[in-house]
């Protein structure tokens, strides 16, 4: 089934203990669509860049089958830019520079050619923009998933509450779940968030895995223990893209299938952190993904006699 | 098979956001033997207390079938005392008071009646004392497991290295694994620790679960997501006691069985945090434990099609 992703396509400049990059392709929607492209081939993008965004970066997305009809190139303006530096532990980072540029007045237009998308992924951006997307769709998708962050909780609480009640799946990290709910216990946090609207809550815990709360059930997916995390940028978006891409490819919204989606998302995230930016997502093979998923099975399988 | 546990039996005074206690029974060996008592009935203890330690606390251990022949009661001296206060997040705590008392010159004597123990659990105490225990056993046990902490890495590094090379299983938390190995990645940390001696390394991550490294394999056990953690004191020791108690009850040292041991240990730890101190471990039922283990199965089971 078709997936529509709305969010940022951007320039990132990254520095980790392993090295640094010039401006490379980044942004939530980039990671989401690249990751989802390994599961669904109806992969539609709505985003905005400036006229400084090079064609070869757009070609990376097109090369993975992403439909970029909805990628607006705004003349005379510049692409969203983020620059960050990771500390030695790779779990904390400093933002060196943020230039919103075209994102300052992003007004998402959904091409008619995208038709009726059945899965909608709202990547991290202003809640008011996320809500506009839902309102502008001719029909409500079968599943709407939203990612957000503490920044919007701090400056756009009311807008966030407005859009949250319209979505099926919310994905946030553990600290964001605590801030959003006012509860320290993640079990209580998920229950509180569910009362705000989303029937399904996914709490990302980075190297500690992810929790899926759905219909009174809880599933705990491990993260793959890695020898080296080269660059964690985009891992959460890659996870989300793998999850919703897998759901879109199967059309199955059962808890069992969502659990599989979480594992596929986790596998994709484990690739993402192996190289700078989104590079590792440019040309994975199905065999590589299946082998990685098999590692997750090994990692968590046990039998009680 | 028989289990011998050596470590502290102590008074604890605890304060959490939910309340505070007077002096209650505490100490690593208390939690370990109570937890192990649900799996093995050859549960031998070597520890030392002062003459201020009340008989009803000793009776708690005896009531669970723990053999206290090796519990030395030193006349004219006082029991080890620890007092701590947890912060609101329950993950950090301040030590309010520590009085080593009898632990200052603990000289472990192993009663002849304990015979040849097949499983040895060295609870957290000075590495030199842990080494003495191994030297004083007439035969090397089938499995020796050691728990330690950053405190000993800071003040008794050489002693720790001496004893670590004699043990089969080392259990530490994630920060301790990093300090011990000098590696941030837990995969690299476990490899480095293995090169120091232990063939099996268990890294406890509290609310984030536990990692078992053994023979080139990795197993990730989740922690049960709880609505409320009432008091985390002793959870790590309870986990260790459940693990080695389960191994002792089965006598099976295969990776598959160690994985089961990790799950049983995790289940026991999830009970421990539900009440103050060790109280929840005084009278659990087999049904309660089996139901809790079933929750771990539900929590981590998934099927890839």
């Amino acid at each position: 089934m078709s997936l529509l992703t709305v969010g940022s396509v951007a320039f990132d400049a990254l520095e980790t203990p392993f090295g640094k990059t010039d401006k490379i392709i980044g942004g939530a929607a980039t990671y989401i669509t690249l990751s989802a492209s390994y599961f669904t081939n109806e992969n539609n993008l709505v985003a905005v860049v400036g006229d400084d965004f090079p064609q070869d970066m757009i070609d990376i997305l097109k090369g993975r089958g992403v439909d970029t009809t909805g990628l607006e190139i705004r003349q005379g303006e510049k692409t969203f830019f983020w620059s960050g530096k990771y500390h030695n532990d790779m779990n904390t980072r400093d933002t060196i520079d943020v230039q919103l540029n075209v994102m300052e007045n992003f007004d998402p237009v959904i091409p008619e050619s995208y038709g009726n998308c059945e899965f909608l992924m709202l990547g991290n951006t202003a809640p008011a923009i996320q809500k506009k997307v839902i309102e502008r769709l001719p029909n409500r998708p079968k599943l709407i998933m939203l990612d957000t962050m503490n920044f919007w909780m701090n400056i756009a609480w009311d807008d966030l509450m407005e859009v949250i009640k319209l979505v099926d799946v919310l994905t946030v990290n553990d600290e964001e779940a605590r801030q959003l709910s006012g509860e320290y216990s993640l079990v209580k946090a998920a229950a509180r968030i569910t009362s705000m609207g989303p029937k399904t809550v996914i709490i990302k815990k980075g190297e500690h895995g992810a929790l899926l709360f759905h219909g009174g059930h809880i599933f705990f997916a491990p993260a793959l223990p890695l020898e080296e995390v080269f660059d964690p940028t985009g891992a959460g978006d890659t996870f989300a893209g793998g999850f919703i891409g897998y759901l879109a490819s199967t059309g199955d919204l059962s808890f069992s299938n969502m659990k599989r989606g979480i594992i596929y998302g986790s596998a994709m995230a484990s690739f993402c952190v192996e190289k700078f930016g989104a590079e590792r997502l440019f040309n994975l093979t199905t065999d590589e993904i299946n082998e990685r998923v098999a590692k997750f099975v090994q990692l968590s399988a046990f039998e009680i006699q």
Side-chain angles (χ1 to χ4, degrees), chain A:
Chain A
M1 294 180 174
S2 65
L3 169 65
L4 169 61
T5 300
V6 184
S8 57
V9 170
F11 286 134
D12 282 353
L14 309 169
E15 184 171 350
T16 81
F18 300 103
K20 59 191 293 185
T21 69
D22 287 328
K23 283 183 178 178
I24 58 174
I25 186 170
T30 299
Y31 287 98
I32 294 165
T33 51
L34 284 175
S35 183
S37 74
Y38 290 92
F39 303 97
T40 175
N41 46 22
E42 294 178 86
N43 202 355
N44 301 322
L45 172 68
V46 165
V48 59
V49 292
D51 62 10
D52 56 345
F53 200 72
Q55 185 61 39
D56 60 357
M57 289 198 186
I58 297 173
D59 289 343
I60 290 171
L61 298 171
K62 285 187 171 171
R64 287 293 321 151
V66 177
D67 188 328
T68 59
T69 311
L71 179 66
E72 182 188 355
I73 300 170
R74 213 176 286 166
Q75 296 304 315
E77 293 193 42
K78 283 179 146 188
T79 301
F80 175 41
F81 172 67
W82 177 78
S83 164
K85 182 177 173 173
Y86 288 86
H87 298 182
N88 280 334
D89 67 6
M90 284 291 193
N91 277 324
T92 49
R93 67 185 186 191
D94 294 325
T95 291
I96 307 293
D97 193 6
V98 188
Q99 297 169 21
L100 284 180
N101 298 329
V102 288
M103 284 301 280
E104 225 163 337
N105 42 26
F106 177 32
D107 190 34
V109 179
I110 296 133
E112 265 188 52
S113 63
Y114 284 2
N116 289 322
C117 76
E118 288 153 303
F119 287 77
L120 172 63
M121 176 68 217
L122 297 165
N124 174 42
T125 182
I129 294 174
Q130 293 175 317
K131 187 162 173 249
K132 264 188 201 169
V133 173
I134 297 174
E135 290 167 347
R136 287 176 181 179
L137 288 173
N139 293 300
R140 191 195 190 278
K142 185 171 174 173
L143 186 95
I144 304 178
M145 177 160 162
L146 180 141
D147 182 48
T148 189
M149 66 184 291
N150 48 2
F151 179 76
W152 306 114
M153 298 173 201
N154 294 335
I155 70 159
W157 180 266
D158 293 345
D159 288 351
L160 185 59
M161 287 302 112
E162 282 296 307
V163 69
I164 274 188
K165 66 183 178 200
L166 305 177
V167 311
D168 302 300
V169 184
L170 181 82
T171 170
V172 283
N173 72 26
D174 39 2
E175 283 320 305
E176 291 157 353
R178 287 174 173 136
Q179 181 171 348
L180 187 58
S181 64
E183 295 284 356
Y184 185 81
S185 153
L186 296 179
V187 176
K188 287 188 176 177
R192 180 70 66 91
I193 294 168
T194 300
S195 77
M196 297 172 180
K199 293 182 296 291
T200 306
V201 177
I202 299 173
I203 300 181
K204 301 171 287 183
K205 307 202 298 171
E207 63 163 323
H208 302 302
L211 286 164
L212 165 67
F213 297 86
H214 176 83
H217 301 290
I218 311 178
F219 174 59
F220 186 123
L224 199 67
L226 297 169
E227 292 230 346
E228 210 78 86
V229 170
F230 191 82
D231 171 21
T233 308
D237 294 315
T238 303
F239 167 83
F243 174 78
I244 200 163
Y246 180 77
L247 291 194
S249 75
T250 56
D252 174 357
L253 300 183
S254 68
F255 183 57
S256 313
N257 203 51
M258 283 195 181
K259 293 201 283 187
R260 280 189 282 276
I262 294 279
I263 296 294
Y264 277 100
S266 302
M268 296 307 292
S270 77
F271 285 118
C272 176
V273 304
E274 291 179 349
K275 290 196 177 179
F276 266 128
E279 193 186 338
R280 192 69 178 90
L281 306 177
F282 295 170
N283 44 20
L284 288 166
T285 65
T286 306
D287 280 353
E288 281 178 304
I289 294 170
N290 289 340
E291 280 166 27
R292 191 58 62 95
V293 166
K295 285 197 178 180
F296 278 83
V297 175
Q298 282 175 8
L299 185 66
S300 36
F302 64 91
E303 275 180 30
I304 297 297
Q305 283 169 325

